[in-house]
Amino acid sequence: MRRPAPRGRDERGVAFPSPLVMLSVLAVAMASITFVATRDQAPTERRIDTATIASAEQSPSADPTTEPTKQPKPKPQVTRGEVYVEVFNSSGIKGLAASTAQKATTVGWAVVGEDNWYGVVPTTTVYFPPRLKAAGKQLALDLGIKRTAPAVGEMKRDRLTIILTTDAPR
């Protein structure tokens, strides 16, 4: 009886990478897509200088030698108690949102919530919807916050949002 000849292995076949390699490749691809999609966008956030705002709001001294020119339109007054404020802590400093909320309440703002913020914010900021821009600037002045910006993402459009970082005034 004759024995059949052993079969040789052909080198045609597919070797599948491990799940870890597949996830790594997917993560790199997603990071690349995100980078390309967001690299040319202009920042929507702005810094404000509280000293400039404070000096602009002070009335100029009366000089009898100069004739008065057009009187500037009076700025709309912000009624602090009628504007809702939410305070979020992104600093990791325990109790920072609560203490800032207390300061805002003491000054007269209607604080309706405080919590932690999970995300990246470059510096402590007061975010405002378009109709509350003046109130946002006033809140920033009241609390010594140097930066305001229009509300972004899923922020509520009926209130001001404060996001505190490690540089928050205490």
Side-chain angles (χ1 to χ4, degrees), residues 19 68 70 77-78 88 112 114 122 155-156 165-167 169-170:
K70 287 185 185 178
Q77 294 294 326
V78 175
F88 292 96
V112 295
E114 56 190 67
M155 291 180 182
K156 295 179 182 170
T165 61
T166 55
D167 67 347
R170 294 186 194 128

Side-chain angles (χ1 to χ4, degrees), residues 76-78 109 128-139 160:
Q77 294 294 326
V78 175
W109 295 95
F128 56 85
R131 69 179 185 84
L132 294 175
K133 183 176 183 177
K137 290 186 178 190
Q138 184 63 52
L139 177 60
L160 302 174

Side-chain angles (χ1 to χ4, degrees), residues 26 50 58 99 101 145 163-164:
L26 183 62
T50 55
Q58 294 175 352
S99 64
I145 297 173
I163 300 180
L164 304 164

Side-chain angles (χ1 to χ4, degrees), residues 2-88:
R2 203 167 170 201
R3 217 170 166 184
R7 285 185 176 175
R9 285 191 174 188
D10 61 3
E11 296 196 15
R12 291 178 292 163
V14 178
F16 292 105
S18 72
L20 181 61
V21 172
M22 292 173 59
L23 286 175
S24 298
V25 169
L26 183 62
V28 169
M30 292 299 288
S32 299
I33 291 170
T34 303
F35 175 75
V36 170
T38 61
R39 69 178 172 178
D40 290 333
Q41 293 178 354
T44 58
E45 301 166 339
R46 297 181 298 231
R47 288 186 180 265
I48 61 166
D49 182 18
T50 55
T52 303
I53 292 173
S55 65
E57 289 181 353
Q58 294 175 352
S59 60
S61 60
D63 185 3
T65 60
T66 59
E67 291 185 31
T69 57
K70 287 185 185 178
Q71 291 295 326
K73 292 181 184 176
K75 292 187 177 185
Q77 294 294 326
V78 175
T79 307
R80 291 175 178 89
E82 294 178 2
V83 179
Y84 295 141
V85 178
E86 286 184 320
V87 182
F88 292 96

